[in-house]
Amino acid sequence: MLTFTLDASDGAARAGRMETARGMVETPMFMPVGTQGTVKAVLPRDLEEMGSQILLANTYHLYLRPGAELIQKLGGLHRFMNWNGPILTDSGGYQVFSLGAMRKLSEEGVRFQSHLDGSYHLLTPENVMQIQAALGSDIAMVLDECIPHDADREYARASTDRTIRWAERCLRARVRADQLVFGIVKGGMYTDLRERCVQELCSMPFEGFAVGGLGVGEGEALLHSIAASTVGWLPEDRPRYLMGVGRPEDILNAVRAGFDLFDCVLPTRNARNGTLFTSAGKLSIKRAEFANDSRPLDPACDCYCCRNFSRAYLRHLYMAGEILSSVLNSLHNLYFYHRLMERCREAIRLEQSDFWSQASATLRAQLD
Ligand SMILES: [Zn+2]
């Protein structure tokens, strides 16, 4: 089953369409993160209006609370959260491995203690497929082990081999015909391990491929070089997803390298902390200079927030700890990401080759 149609390319960058059971997704596309079955502080209606075409939800969190069976009984995750577009669920591996001492790894899977109540659980390649099938997401991810960026070669090799074996088990345990399954390329910071992992996974019938284990502290140069070489080995007729890497500049570079899908908590998390992405660079709304500023947050932005509210009001909401602060800030930051992706798609389609260096120069101002 082919799920990806390539419409245009500019160098390695590509614009296309990904078919899912709940409709088509234009690529390159950013997926807002809805950890607990909600994109924090944003209504599904507003997500749809601003151009979100697919959301990401976290298997680990929904499995522990309220439980995948409950969500299934209530009609599945789409109905539960009232989002009718496609949903991608991660496998839960990333969250489990973040638990550190509270988890134990074996060939069978990963045993862990809930961060909520200390109860014991086991995630295996088989049951993460069952959990994602119960949630009813449109794209399921395989279970993978997270490799620390400073892992030595032997650790990275053994872990990558296990992830490949787990990927095979996930495919064998596949439950739903209407759910796409993506493999995840690992290999740590070792390009030969990454290349071998790509070869192994490409011999399996995955509908798409993700590159994982980047943006974990390895630094910008290594992130870009490994992402760019890995994406070059992936098949052209399948969607390519760079997991969890999400500064605007990093996304732009990854689009140029040939990635199609992205997710990151950065736009929504930064929004709640009062840090906003604008066409003139990053802006911290809490700063005193905005107390009396009647201008919109970003005069170049036509989101609901920028069309209707002043910086002075947004600063006031933030300082007063008002809930609306998170709502408006999140709306603007996600809108910024979606417009960036839209401009990338347009530049690829129209072969506007000068777009990339101009956008890159503007986005440098967004970095810390
Ligand atoms: Zn705006």
Side-chain angles (χ1 to χ4, degrees):
M1 178 168 53
L2 282 186
T3 54
F4 184 75
T5 309
L6 183 67
D7 289 327
S9 55
D10 179 4
R14 37 202 241 147
R17 284 162 291 152
M18 178 177 70
E19 290 295 338
T20 76
R22 281 184 184 75
M24 188 260 289
V25 175
E26 292 176 272
T27 65
M29 178 57 64
F30 179 78
M31 304 184 279
V33 177
T35 303
Q36 308 272 7
T38 163
V39 176
K40 290 188 197 306
V42 188
L43 291 172
R45 182 187 68 196
D46 293 339
L47 290 169
E48 204 180 321
E49 244 169 52
M50 75 168 84
S52 302
Q53 296 183 12
I54 176 170
L55 305 183
L56 181 144
N58 288 108
T59 295
Y60 168 83
H61 289 282
L62 295 171
Y63 159 75
L64 289 179
R65 181 179 59 192
E69 279 172 28
L70 179 88
I71 291 175
Q72 187 177 30
K73 248 184 240 163
L74 292 168
L77 183 57
H78 296 81
R79 183 153 180 199
F80 190 54
M81 64 187 283
N82 191 37
W83 172 258
N84 299 317
I87 296 175
L88 178 148
T89 42
D90 64 8
S91 64
Y94 181 81
Q95 277 78 23
V96 170
F97 284 100
S98 312
L99 293 173
M102 288 166 73
R103 49 112 178 129
K104 196 169 187 297
L105 180 71
S106 68
E107 186 64 26
E108 184 189 13
V110 55
R111 193 171 291 282
F112 66 97
Q113 255 184 298
S114 162
H115 73 289
L116 296 172
D117 60 7
S119 57
Y120 286 91
H121 301 266
L122 175 70
L123 282 188
T124 66
E126 290 77 18
N127 76 6
V128 299
M129 294 306 289
Q130 284 154 11
I131 296 166
Q132 293 180 89
L135 294 172
S137 59
D138 303 277
I139 303 175
M141 302 300 299
V142 299
L143 183 65
D144 63 320
E145 183 194 345
C146 292
I147 304 173
H149 71 88
D150 53 358
D152 64 39
R153 193 187 161 76
E154 186 44 35
Y155 182 101
R157 191 197 56 74
S159 170
T160 302
D161 286 350
R162 185 185 300 113
T163 292
I164 293 168
R165 292 191 296 273
W166 282 1
E168 266 181 316
R169 282 168 57 188
C170 281
L171 278 177
R172 277 202 300 271
R174 184 177 196 143
V175 183
R176 304 175 68 123
D178 61 350
Q179 188 176 49
L180 309 176
V181 183
F182 282 16
I184 306 179
V185 179
K186 307 306 291 245
M189 301 304 146
Y190 304 94
T191 45
D192 59 321
L193 295 181
R194 291 257 173 201
E195 187 171 11
R196 199 170 57 76
C197 189
V198 169
Q199 286 166 358
E200 296 282 347
L201 293 179
C202 285
S203 69
M204 305 178 204
F206 287 110
E207 281 87 23
F209 295 97
V211 174
L214 290 174
V216 291
E218 70 277 15
E220 201 180 315
L222 203 50
L223 159 65
H224 291 159
S225 74
I226 292 179
S229 54
T230 306
V231 75
W233 300 317
L234 290 171
E236 282 186 4
D237 62 356
R238 245 68 60 87
R240 305 152 164 184
Y241 163 29
L242 181 58
M243 300 182 83
V245 172
R247 294 183 309 174
E249 166 85 356
D250 296 331
I251 290 184
L252 190 84
N253 279 318
V255 168
R256 283 188 88 172
F259 282 98
D260 309 306
L261 294 168
F262 306 90
D263 78 284
C264 194
V265 294
L266 199 62
T268 39
R269 180 180 289 165
N270 272 1
R272 297 193 301 282
N273 295 330
T275 301
L276 299 157
F277 298 100
T278 79
S279 54
K282 229 158 47 174
L283 179 155
S284 176
I285 200 64
K286 65 190 99 172
R287 290 174 62 164
E289 61 182 289
F290 301 126
N292 196 23
D293 194 335
S294 61
R295 290 173 296 171
L297 177 55
D298 182 355
C301 176
D302 60 354
C303 82
Y304 175 77
C305 173
C306 292
R307 278 188 285 116
N308 292 288
F309 304 96
S310 66
R311 293 177 180 179
Y313 182 62
L314 293 172
R315 177 177 187 273
H316 160 68
L317 292 179
Y318 183 85
M319 299 310 283
E322 281 294 330
I323 295 167
L324 189 59
S325 170
S326 295
V327 173
L328 292 175
N329 292 350
S330 302
L331 210 115
H332 166 81
N333 271 359
L334 283 176
Y335 193 90
F336 180 90
Y337 269 63
H338 283 318
R339 289 298 81 75
L340 173 65
M341 305 313 287
E342 192 176 62
R343 287 203 297 274
C344 286
R345 295 195 294 271
E346 206 176 82
I348 297 165
R349 287 215 172 84
L350 304 176
E351 289 179 60
Q352 297 166 331
S353 300
D354 52 344
F355 163 81
W356 305 101
S357 54
Q358 283 169 11
S360 180
T362 311
L363 292 177
R364 293 304 301 183
Q366 308 282 359
L367 299 180
D368 293 314

